[in-house]
Amino acid sequence: MSAYRLSNGGLIDRSKPIDFKFDGKPLQGFAGDTLASALLANDKLLVGRSFKYHRPRGLLTAGAAEPNALVTLGQDGRTETNTRATMVELHHGLEARSQNRWPSLDHDIGAINGMLSPFLGAGFYYKTFMWPAAFWEKLYEPIIRKAAGLGRASYVPDPDTYEKSWAHCDLLIIGAGPTGLAAALTAARSKARVILVDEGSMLGGSLLCETTEINDQPAAEFAAQAIVELSAAENVQILKRTTVVGAYDDNVFGALERVQKHVSVIDDNKPVERFWRISAKQAILATGAEERPLVFGGNDRPGMMMAGAMRTYLNRFAVAPGKQVAIFSNGPSGWQTARDLEANGVDVVAIVTPETASNKSYQGKARIIANAVIAGTSGEKRLKGLTIRHIGSGSEETLACDALGMSGGWSPIVHLACHRGDKPKWSDAHAAFLPPAPRDGLIAAGGAAGTYSLAACLQDGGTLAAEALDNLGHSVSRAEFSTQQDEKAEMPAPFWYVKAPKGKAFVDFQNDVHLKDLGLAVREGYDHVELAKRYTTNGMATDQGKLSNVNAIGILAEATGTSPDVVGTTTFRPFYTPVSFGALTGSHIGAHFHPTRVSPLFKWAEKHGARFVETGLWHRSSWFPKEGESDWRESVDREAKTVRSHAGICDVSTLGKIEIFGSDAAEFINRVYCNGFLKLPVGKARYGLMLREDGFIYDDGTTSRLGENHFFMTTTTAFAAGVLTHLECCSQVLWPDLDVRLVSVSDQWAQMAIAGPNARKILAEIVDEDISDAAFPFLAAREVGLSGGQIKGRLFRISFSGELAFELAVPAGYGEAVADAILSLGEDHGITPYGTEALNVLRIEKGHVTHAEINGTVTPGDLGFGRMVSAKKPDFIGRVMLQREGLQATDRLRLVGIRPLDPAESFVSGSHILDVDAAPTGANDLGHVTSSCFSPHLGHTIGLAMVKHGPELIGEEIVIWNGLKQQSIRGVLCEPVFVDPKGEKLHA
Amino acid sequence: MASLITCPHCGVRPKEEFTIRGDASVTRPSPEADGEVWHAYVHLRDNPRGLHKEYWHHTSGCRRWLVVTRDTVSHDVIDVSDAGALA
Amino acid sequence: MLEVQLSAKPALFGAAEGLFGTKDASTAGIVLTASTQSTILQVLSPPGATGVAEKLQAWVGAEGAGLRPNGPGNWFVVCDAQPPRESLEALSKTLEGRAELLDQSHGRTRIKVSGPKVTQMLAKGTAIDLREHQFAPGQSAPTLFGHISAQLTRVSPENFEILVLSSFALSLWDSLIVMGREFGIQAHC
């Protein structure tokens, strides 16, 4: 036994014991503990195995930077790997498992890597697994991947919910330590809207861990009182358990709130995590500073930790780290730790410091060994002793101890100030990198700015908050604080590493990077800080070098004979600490991955048994199986045949619909389509072909003239949003002088196609007006009354199926009633509902194109629409570029029909067209099938294809090659109209 | 890239509400202009370091096309105005 | 000709109803209501037209309707019920030559969201700063709500209205229930 719980003190509640398990073993802690403090209180010094050498590791910190104590929490879908034990609040039933060990933490086979370590230095993988090249993908990578990694993620879906939210404030304060609280108290007394964010479950930061006093109160009590005041202030929003993980342009910050990561029973109505986007006018970075480890031989044994972390365990959690504690410190932190240990009756065996003089304010019992370093340590799964080397004489002595607190000075936590690309600046006076100059109202204060004394931090927080609020025009009254005499926080020169260490001197604990690795990187030419990082992996993985980067920079600087200033830092990028994918996804998962658009005829189709297909955001009815039909093709064949023999009704509501008004509306439409529209009469529809400015077809549809200055345009379903945006660009940007206004009415109308020889008979029963061929000829488009003037609709005589057909639009809410009425009125006329599959068959049979053909690489000429392109119009989108030689070339892929030579054979879209004698290779490709289906009218597969010289090859035999299945069949190119080539049915 | 854009019609909005079309410094040539001019208009774009003018469409807002002048290095937005010169 | 009775179904027909996240309606922090009988008109005017906003303001004032500016020269007029025909004709007449009037009663769906937690809940969807002095009662703005574009209006401090494309109404309704569950939400349409 070495670590133990103190009998009194700390901010834990001894009346509330909490049961938890570590690697299956039942243990107990108290309310207020973290998993880390509870493990330490139970003398569990060994909490993990290191990444590469599988070395036994213990707690190094008490906070967010913890590199060693990574555990897996939860079961199945709630499995959470690589969780820092220092950040987990202890709660009933918590089960934690150690990682990166097999079969157990105590007996880990992988530790053999430690013995192989002479061969596993930096660059080992790069050098060893280079040849033969073919082995990399098949052999080396899978093995390395299997051996690497920390925790193992679960494949079971996460049952919990996550969400995102926006927040807005005048002043964002990041961190609720002394600086942040001082800023918040000052800000609370203004009218400004303040958000105070802290990653901990209790606000107070270092105040919870130190034995100082503010306003004659113990620091923790002062913090508690401040929280009472802040919680009562209406203008202050406090976000606990929330880490600001990213700083983005325009002072937008990303913050992860752990809403239910500390509870035993999760409330399903609440998210477990919430990702905030906080838009702040001003922000104060009060994130404090990170204590730097010292780099010496065997500096990673369980029982060693940061001196500040030791104070946290001692003062906040009432846990003594050992019975015989040694300190190794450069700077004042170690001395304070010795004082706090002794105050709690813990024996401090020695204070070792490379500084030449003792700390004047220390008056404890510990033996002070100045001008000395620790050269090596002993002990396997827990620390047993130290080898101390006197710098002057070089003589060494050993010392027994069971814990060591170390401090190499402090590094301001500048990450968020650097996320937008600004670099921190090295300061010799502070022996640290300081944040870059303030930007857009984001300013660092207190420890984050290199200010270390408590009085100065309190002062800095208040001053900067007052300035920020003043900038925003708020009047403020400053909160004032008195503190005990502050130890002058003078930083000694940095002490980067102990020379000639005995054993590995770790720089990056998480990635097992040690001193020699960095030396090797420099010798091999990877001395640039970004290269050294990649070569050695220093500063990678979940902790991103929070503890190791500055030491590595110092070591590189010494090795290259420069200064940390010259070496510089690697790039700081979001996120500051890891963020779960769940939080980034928010509520947009599963059925809510994207919104679902519901056609006004969705429920109608559902009622009639439709099967649906997802097309973009829509779920479109794709076929309507009848009882006894077991195969989709059976239903589709029946639907298509019924439309051609009797009648069918199909939901086409998903087409984009745009209402266009204005005295220049006709001119506008004339410019956005390549064919003419100026002379389109009122009451008529016309097919329009819309080009992009580069001459290729963008979209097609029909546009009807409902009035002199009023048009109704339809677009394809897929391009509805794109066409609207394009037209808005044309009217607002290209031709703002044209008097034209346009608006989407896609959702106002339920639109249905009624097609087939009986279509007119059926519609005549519900449409009030005369719709005979004479009164309502092909391409007529007019408003009509329905069922005795009950409602108004719009009727268009247009056809995608090639049959006598109409499209009827009615106000969306009436869609179901009207479609049902048409079905029942049409019953005697043999009507059937049909879906997009039958629609596709009908249009391929007629050679009508869709985006399967209009894929962004075809011109009007390619589709046989060359003559539609107006030669008279002075201007339209795409006119000039369409004339390019390449777009007018005769050997372009052009539209033809295609059928199998043997009607018993079939082919699929995407198949390639080859000459009969050509070898089946891509080089011999003449074109490809764009659409194909089984034609129930012809009794065999048909298709549309884009083929070089296609129309000139009609009647020729070719090969249809399916390269994926290595199948070839003989086919014949034909006219792309398979049914009613003269269009007699259409005009019936 | 900016996080927030101040739409002259709608106020401060997140970039997610907008669709970016790219270079706003090009002008559609006259229909009589020769092929090279059209080629440049349709295909050639600068990728400036520093000040850049772009068309942004406030798709989930007022649906107006805007001209955003921003700095591609500092990400500062210098100006946002209506592309059709609507105040 | 057969006698057929045509009746309309709102886009939110069959949407989820009841209490979510609470068993007691009196504790619900959010109330979600569909306003299915609304008349919704869209008004489009050329950029140069003057006086349109004033004329609309006068008409909605007299009619007890709401005006929702949707962008330059673009408004929605919302009425809880079908306004009298003469009144609509009068509106149409006063706008003649200045603006087009378009029926969007079926194209848009009006959802009312209210309750003491309403701004907290709506912040999960929109980036608009909903603090009362930033987005005051009477203010209305088109915005992105989650992944759906919608027109958000603050009717009074704790009462908001969302005007959404009808095809998205069900999807939005479901999202709102998810967002409101933690506060307890009562939904009826």
Side-chain angles (χ1 to χ4, degrees):
Chain A
M1 280 293 285
S2 47
Y4 59 96
R5 179 82 72 180
L6 299 170
S7 55
N8 51 47
L11 302 175
I12 48 163
D13 185 347
R14 289 178 177 76
S15 70
K16 290 184 185 149
I18 290 178
D19 294 317
F20 72 103
K21 282 183 180 168
F22 181 62
D23 279 340
K25 193 181 172 198
L27 296 168
Q28 206 173 61
F30 294 118
D33 261 328
T34 60
L35 173 59
S37 67
L39 286 170
L40 193 64
N42 282 282
D43 195 34
K44 287 279 165 199
L45 297 193
L46 172 62
V47 293
R49 290 272 175 175
S50 72
F51 184 65
K52 189 162 152 190
Y53 303 125
H54 293 246
R55 283 169 72 103
R57 289 279 167 80
L59 292 165
L60 193 61
T61 71
E66 179 57 37
N68 290 341
L70 302 183
V71 296
T72 298
L73 302 181
Q75 304 288 339
D76 302 327
R78 290 199 168 110
T79 303
E80 205 171 347
T81 62
N82 309 335
T83 309
R84 292 151 296 159
T86 48
M87 300 304 286
V88 178
E89 285 172 63
L90 199 66
H91 54 266
H92 283 289
L94 175 71
E95 289 192 28
R97 299 184 299 286
S98 57
Q99 302 180 160
N100 205 32
R101 83 290 187 267
W102 185 83
S104 75
L105 188 55
D106 265 324
H107 306 279
D108 176 21
I109 301 276
I112 197 165
N113 280 3
M115 282 179 242
L116 298 174
S117 66
F119 310 104
L120 294 176
F124 167 71
Y125 294 103
Y126 301 134
K127 290 170 188 165
T128 311
F129 298 109
M130 283 182 63
W131 330 268
F135 276 30
W136 175 252
E137 207 175 305
K138 292 213 166 81
L139 185 66
Y140 298 146
E141 192 181 349
I143 291 174
I144 293 169
R145 288 215 179 275
K146 203 167 179 189
L150 298 161
R152 296 257 175 257
S154 166
Y155 286 94
V156 182
D158 185 343
D160 295 327
T161 56
Y162 299 79
E163 69 177 24
K164 297 188 209 177
S165 186
W166 279 91
H168 305 263
C169 61
D170 299 314
L171 178 63
L172 171 68
I173 300 169
I174 305 165
T179 310
L181 281 182
L185 286 170
T186 291
R189 295 170 194 179
S190 72
K191 291 259 160 49
R193 172 83 171 145
V194 180
I195 296 180
L196 174 64
V197 184
D198 194 90
E199 64 182 352
S201 57
M202 285 172 83
L203 305 192
S206 66
L207 296 179
L208 306 175
C209 315
E210 302 288 1
T211 48
T212 49
E213 290 191 351
I214 304 172
N215 297 352
D216 298 323
Q217 282 176 300
E221 269 176 44
F222 166 81
Q225 211 170 66
I227 294 157
V228 171
E229 179 180 339
L230 293 171
S231 304
E234 270 187 14
N235 58 327
V236 179
Q237 182 182 3
I238 299 174
L239 291 174
K240 285 194 292 189
R241 302 185 174 95
T242 305
T243 310
V244 177
V245 290
Y248 303 94
D249 289 330
D250 308 307
N251 267 355
V252 173
F253 296 85
L256 179 71
E257 181 185 4
R258 292 166 292 276
V259 183
Q260 294 195 86
K261 286 290 180 188
H262 60 290
V263 298
S264 303
V265 181
I266 286 168
D267 177 352
D268 291 339
N269 293 315
K270 289 184 181 148
V272 290
E273 289 182 341
R274 185 182 285 128
F275 195 84
W276 290 93
R277 276 187 289 173
I278 303 172
S279 173
K281 291 190 180 128
Q282 304 261 310
I284 291 180
L285 190 66
T287 43
E290 197 74 70
E291 196 160 27
R292 282 203 293 269
L294 286 165
V295 179
F296 58 95
N299 61 343
D300 67 329
R301 301 199 195 281
M304 305 178 143
M305 64 173 73
M306 307 311 307
M310 216 169 238
R311 293 202 297 282
T312 299
Y313 288 116
L314 198 65
N315 297 326
R316 177 171 173 184
F317 300 109
V319 181
K323 292 197 167 112
Q324 291 180 296
V325 185
I327 300 291
F328 183 21
S329 178
N330 186 43
S333 175
W335 303 89
Q336 181 61 39
T337 304
R339 273 196 293 266
D340 288 359
L341 285 164
E342 288 179 329
N344 282 290
V346 180
D347 192 15
V348 180
V349 292
I351 301 173
V352 181
T353 175
E355 296 171 70
T356 48
S358 165
N359 186 298
K360 287 180 201 102
S361 68
Y362 176 74
Q363 286 164 1
K365 289 181 287 186
R367 180 184 161 205
I368 293 163
I369 311 175
N371 200 22
V373 295
I374 296 176
T377 64
S378 63
E380 273 302 309
K381 288 168 197 164
R382 48 178 70 219
L383 175 67
K384 285 187 179 143
L386 311 172
T387 301
I388 294 163
R389 182 187 294 151
H390 297 272
I391 295 176
S393 64
S395 67
E396 291 180 356
E397 61 174 299
T398 56
L399 183 77
C401 66
D402 59 5
L404 176 82
M406 61 172 147
S407 176
W410 297 91
S411 302
I413 300 174
V414 299
H415 297 64
L416 294 170
C418 303
H419 279 176
R420 292 175 66 188
D422 299 327
K423 292 274 186 186
K425 292 184 190 76
W426 176 258
S427 158
D428 277 325
H430 295 79
F433 282 97
L434 298 184
R439 172 152 159 185
D440 291 350
L442 169 66
I443 186 162
T451 303
Y452 298 131
S453 92
L454 179 60
C457 284
L458 292 167
Q459 178 73 22
D460 203 20
T463 305
L464 292 182
E467 276 174 18
L469 294 166
D470 190 53
N471 289 343
L472 296 173
H474 293 273
S475 60
V476 211
S477 64
R478 284 283 299 273
E480 299 296 338
F481 312 97
S482 66
T483 56
Q484 291 165 301
Q485 79 293 354
D486 236 338
E487 193 165 307
K488 225 177 139 205
E490 211 164 87
M491 284 297 136
F495 182 79
W496 295 122
Y497 62 95
V498 172
K499 296 189 173 58
K502 298 186 163 203
K504 287 193 180 66
F506 285 93
V507 180
D508 185 321
F509 294 83
Q510 186 165 91
N511 295 293
D512 270 352
V513 178
H514 54 100
L515 188 57
K516 279 187 180 167
D517 292 328
L518 287 165
L520 187 66
V522 172
R523 286 201 303 284
E524 299 197 338
Y526 298 99
D527 54 339
H528 187 281
V529 67
E530 297 280 11
L531 294 177
K533 170 175 176 171
R534 274 80 193 172
Y535 196 63
T536 63
T537 70
N538 190 90
M540 290 193 178
T542 67
D543 75 344
Q544 288 288 299
K546 288 187 179 62
L547 295 176
S548 64
N549 276 354
V550 179
N551 277 339
I553 290 163
I555 292 164
L556 287 174
E558 283 207 10
T560 52
T562 57
S563 70
D565 188 30
V566 175
V567 173
T569 60
T570 52
T571 309
F572 292 85
R573 294 189 180 89
F575 301 122
Y576 171 63
T577 48
V579 177
S580 68
F581 283 112
L584 295 175
T585 315
S587 56
H588 302 296
I589 57 159
H592 291 279
F593 178 67
H594 55 54
T596 304
R597 283 190 89 172
V598 179
S599 155
L601 290 174
F602 179 87
K603 290 196 186 94
W604 168 83
E606 204 177 34
K607 194 163 72 181
H608 295 285
R611 299 295 152 83
F612 293 89
V613 61
E614 261 187 71
T615 54
L617 302 181
W618 297 102
H619 289 240
R620 297 186 70 181
S621 41
S622 66
W623 71 90
F624 294 76
K626 273 196 168 168
E627 223 175 290
E629 289 174 348
S630 53
D631 178 64
W632 70 277
R633 257 279 309 284
E634 221 179 306
S635 309
V636 173
D637 288 357
R638 172 187 49 76
E639 287 169 21
K641 280 165 95 165
T642 308
V643 171
R644 296 233 188 273
S645 62
H646 297 82
I649 176 170
C650 179
D651 179 11
V652 294
S653 305
T654 58
L655 296 177
K657 309 176 202 79
I658 300 167
E659 206 97 2
I660 304 170
F661 298 98
S663 55
D664 293 321
E667 170 64 20
F668 177 75
I669 292 166
N670 208 41
R671 290 189 197 176
V672 296
Y673 278 133
C674 71
N675 48 325
F677 271 81
L678 275 182
K679 290 181 185 150
L680 179 67
V682 173
K684 278 282 190 180
R686 182 170 291 173
Y687 177 72
L689 211 49
M690 196 176 281
L691 306 189
R692 302 190 308 221
E693 199 70 276
D694 63 4
F696 294 106
I697 303 175
Y698 177 50
D699 198 47
D700 66 349
T702 57
T703 290
S704 306
R705 192 169 204 163
L706 301 178
E708 186 58 29
N709 296 326
H710 179 193
F711 291 80
F712 176 74
M713 177 186 283
T714 64
T715 75
T716 61
T717 300
F719 281 45
V723 169
L724 180 66
T725 306
H726 170 64
L727 296 189
E728 284 166 336
C729 184
C730 293
S731 78
Q732 295 172 26
V733 180
L734 296 185
W735 306 306
D737 49 321
L738 291 187
D739 173 34
V740 55
R741 289 168 294 293
L742 41 102
V743 64
S744 166
V745 290
S746 295
D747 289 42
Q748 169 68 14
W749 302 99
Q751 194 153 320
M752 53 205 98
I754 300 99
N758 295 340
R760 184 183 291 123
K761 275 182 251 172
I762 297 165
L763 271 180
E765 302 214 30
I766 192 168
V767 175
D768 299 340
E769 287 80 358
D770 178 7
I771 55 166
S772 65
D773 191 48
F776 205 84
F778 184 57
L779 294 176
R782 279 203 292 273
E783 187 177 87
V784 293
L786 296 176
S787 277
Q790 287 182 50
I791 58 168
K792 296 263 187 222
R794 289 173 178 177
L795 189 65
F796 309 90
R797 189 164 161 201
I798 51 180
S799 176
F800 199 42
S801 57
E803 294 300 313
L804 165 66
F806 299 84
E807 285 188 17
L808 175 63
V810 298
Y814 288 101
E816 187 174 340
V818 170
D820 269 340
I822 290 170
L823 265 189
S824 71
L825 293 169
E827 209 178 333
D828 293 344
H829 301 291
I831 197 168
T832 180
Y834 67 104
T836 52
E837 287 295 340
L839 185 76
N840 197 41
V841 170
L842 295 167
R843 71 98 188 164
I844 295 173
E845 287 179 338
K846 287 294 294 183
H848 289 159
V849 294
T850 66
H851 281 294
E853 285 74 35
I854 306 174
N855 66 355
T857 68
V858 303
T859 66
D862 298 342
L863 300 181
F865 294 147
R867 290 205 316 212
M868 264 178 72
V869 179
S870 169
K872 290 183 236 152
K873 291 201 276 186
D875 191 13
F876 61 84
I877 299 277
R879 192 189 77 106
V880 176
M881 297 303 268
L882 179 60
Q883 301 314 316
R884 284 182 289 168
E885 200 180 327
L887 273 65
Q888 296 296 331
T890 52
D891 63 346
R892 294 181 56 79
L893 301 179
R894 283 150 68 197
L895 184 74
V896 282
I898 187 166
R899 60 180 172 82
L901 188 60
D902 173 358
E905 290 191 300
S906 67
F907 55 86
V908 294
S909 305
S911 298
H912 286 262
I913 313 296
L914 305 173
D915 258 332
V916 175
D917 306 321
T921 65
N924 292 327
D925 183 31
L926 295 178
H928 54 273
V929 179
T930 52
S931 299
S932 68
C933 68
F934 178 81
S935 165
H937 306 97
L938 300 175
H940 60 77
T941 299
I942 58 170
L944 301 178
M946 298 297 293
V947 180
K948 248 182 222 179
H949 298 288
E952 294 145 46
L953 301 176
I954 282 173
E956 301 268 331
E957 207 173 305
I958 44 79
V959 166
I960 308 171
W961 173 49
N962 181 340
L964 286 176
K965 292 196 167 168
Q966 289 302 330
Q967 287 168 353
S968 295
I969 66 162
R970 288 292 176 97
V972 181
L973 299 180
C974 56
E975 288 289 344
V977 186
F978 298 88
V979 166
D980 185 27
K982 289 184 183 156
E984 288 159 348
K985 303 180 88 173
L986 187 68
H987 294 279
Chain B
M1 183 75 57
S3 302
L4 303 172
I5 291 290
T6 303
C7 169
H9 309 299
C10 304
V12 181
R13 296 304 177 86
K15 65 170 186 294
E16 290 79 4
E17 289 193 357
F18 299 83
T19 312
I20 308 171
R21 192 188 157 106
D23 197 348
S25 65
V26 291
T27 310
R28 190 171 186 267
S30 101
E32 288 82 37
D34 76 36
E36 280 308 307
V37 176
W38 273 93
H39 164 66
Y41 168 68
V42 172
H43 296 123
L44 304 183
R45 292 292 180 274
D46 289 333
N47 183 15
R49 180 184 163 83
L51 281 193
H52 194 28
K53 273 180 191 292
E54 286 169 329
Y55 285 121
W56 287 49
H57 182 238
H58 197 181
T59 312
S60 288
C62 59
R63 298 199 65 91
R64 292 291 306 181
W65 280 91
L66 309 172
V67 176
V68 173
T69 308
R70 64 185 189 96
D71 188 316
T72 59
V73 179
S74 68
H75 295 189
D76 291 335
V77 174
I78 287 94
D79 184 62
V80 186
S81 58
D82 189 283
L86 279 191
Chain C
M1 186 173 284
L2 245 107
E3 267 311 305
V4 181
Q5 208 51 49
L6 298 176
S7 58
K9 263 187 193 174
L12 283 171
F13 183 84
E17 289 189 275
L19 289 169
F20 302 89
T22 178
K23 293 197 166 79
D24 174 5
S26 70
T27 64
I30 303 283
V31 177
L32 197 60
T33 329
S35 184
T36 51
Q37 300 301 314
S38 295
T39 291
I40 301 162
L41 305 170
Q42 192 163 12
V43 181
L44 300 171
S45 78
T50 52
V52 178
E54 290 77 7
K55 292 199 182 296
L56 289 171
Q57 203 70 61
W59 189 86
V60 298
E63 206 50 56
L67 191 60
R68 316 283 183 244
N70 183 236
N74 198 334
W75 296 264
F76 284 106
V77 172
V78 295
C79 318
D80 288 334
Q82 172 87 33
R85 222 176 98 184
E86 313 80 65
S87 176
L88 279 178
E89 277 167 5
L91 175 64
S92 182
K93 202 159 174 216
T94 120
L95 294 178
E96 212 174 301
R98 287 192 171 90
E100 278 84 26
L101 193 60
L102 202 65
D103 184 15
Q104 291 270 32
S105 303
H106 293 252
R108 298 292 190 283
T109 295
R110 238 174 127 199
I111 297 173
K112 293 183 174 175
V113 197
S114 57
K117 300 287 185 183
V118 68
T119 53
Q120 246 171 293
M121 173 184 144
L122 293 175
K124 299 180 190 183
T126 177
I128 291 180
D129 187 347
L130 298 174
R131 286 178 283 162
E132 218 176 308
H133 65 282
Q134 297 286 336
F135 195 68
Q139 259 179 282
S140 180
T143 182
L144 186 63
F145 196 88
H147 289 170
I148 299 172
S149 299
Q151 175 95 17
L152 184 70
T153 306
R154 184 176 222 144
V155 179
S156 70
E158 292 184 354
N159 285 283
F160 286 77
E161 169 200 286
I162 305 177
L163 204 55
V164 64
L165 284 168
S166 290
S167 60
F168 283 111
L170 266 173
S171 204
L172 178 65
W173 183 266
D174 289 344
S175 298
L176 290 169
I177 289 176
V178 171
M179 291 172 182
R181 268 187 326 192
E182 69 166 309
F183 311 112
I185 182 166
Q186 185 180 19
H188 48 88
C189 59

